[in-house]
Amino acid sequence: MTPDLPRQAEPPDEPSRRTEDRRHVIRRRSLTLLIIVLLIGVPAGYLVISANQSRNSGKDKEAKYSATGLTEGWPSKLQRRLYQVPVPHPANQVAYYETNNWKTSRLYVQFQTTHEGLDTFLADIGMRRDDLKEGDITIGARDRAVTGWKFSGEGSRPGAYYGLVHKQENPAPTLDVVVNTGNPTYPMVYVVSRTVP
């Protein structure tokens, strides 16, 4: 038989441990539960809010890009450069619409400008006013249906129409241009720029 080892006495400067009363146990467990809920709940709530914002952003973009018809305002500089549609200054009644698919991308642009602005636009695309042919509606029925443009007959703006097609080698876009001179001071210009990606 082995003798019992002597027990070491507790140090005199350390207070003795007391057993926890029920109220203290409940408070400690409640505090632990609260910390766990905050550590899990706050990030989870943040993820839910972020997911909803992301989904709503996607819906906004979908609505923007699935819209049909012209949007009032200037196309972006990038769009104007890619599709080679230099809208001159001054210009008003500017509107545009872009469509893209695997086969062809199109930018539809309309604007009203001065005669000097028209000459500048034509020069920027490598054409002259002499290239416009009277009565030549170069924008096809399909493109007119997309934008709602009407060039002859009922519902169209009065005035003489002039048109041209500026064909370029791929990947440069082909431009179909129609000019309405119903307003003798400010001609209205309609452009369809199409490119094969």
Side-chain angles (χ1 to χ4, degrees):
M1 200 176 238
T2 59
D4 287 336
L5 293 173
R7 290 188 76 167
Q8 188 175 2
E10 292 183 11
D13 55 344
E14 248 184 56
S16 64
R17 286 190 175 189
R18 284 186 277 155
T19 59
E20 288 183 292
D21 64 345
R22 181 157 175 74
R23 209 171 42 181
H24 189 257
V25 169
I26 291 172
R27 187 180 313 146
R28 184 173 49 80
R29 288 183 179 168
S30 297
L31 185 60
T32 304
L33 181 63
L34 176 66
I35 290 170
I36 291 170
V37 166
L38 289 175
L39 286 173
I40 294 172
V42 169
Y46 175 76
L47 286 174
V48 168
I49 290 169
S50 294
N52 282 335
Q53 287 175 342
S54 178
R55 187 177 64 213
N56 290 341
S57 172
K59 286 181 181 177
D60 293 344
K61 286 179 184 174
E62 181 183 350
K64 176 183 175 185
Y65 292 114
S66 67
T68 57
L70 297 168
T71 301
E72 186 178 340
W74 288 62
S76 70
K77 286 182 181 179
L78 178 64
Q79 287 172 314
R80 285 180 272 160
R81 190 175 71 235
L82 287 175
Y83 289 97
Q84 298 180 7
V85 180
V87 179
H89 291 280
N92 64 7
Q93 296 185 37
V94 181
Y96 72 98
Y97 180 59
E98 182 180 12
T99 62
N100 296 297
N101 62 37
W102 64 274
K103 207 171 171 184
T104 307
S105 296
R106 286 181 173 85
L107 180 67
Y108 303 86
V109 181
Q110 74 173 39
F111 58 88
Q112 188 173 42
T113 188
T114 61
H115 285 283
E116 293 79 17
L118 175 60
D119 290 333
T120 300
F121 166 74
L122 291 171
D124 286 346
I125 65 170
M127 305 298 279
R128 298 185 330 266
R129 198 179 285 243
D130 296 345
D131 297 317
L132 290 167
K133 294 181 183 124
E134 187 171 359
D136 193 5
I137 306 297
T138 56
I139 296 175
R142 178 204 174 279
D143 293 326
R144 292 195 307 260
V146 168
T147 58
W149 291 334
K150 294 180 178 154
F151 296 129
S152 58
E154 212 168 305
S156 66
R157 290 177 166 224
Y161 289 94
Y162 297 84
L164 66 83
V165 175
H166 180 49
K167 289 190 179 186
Q168 302 182 89
E169 227 175 277
N170 282 341
T174 295
L175 302 175
D176 299 329
V177 179
V178 172
V179 178
N180 180 342
T181 59
N183 183 328
T185 310
Y186 301 107
M188 191 74 179
V189 180
Y190 305 90
V191 184
V192 178
S193 175
R194 64 183 182 280
T195 184
V196 177

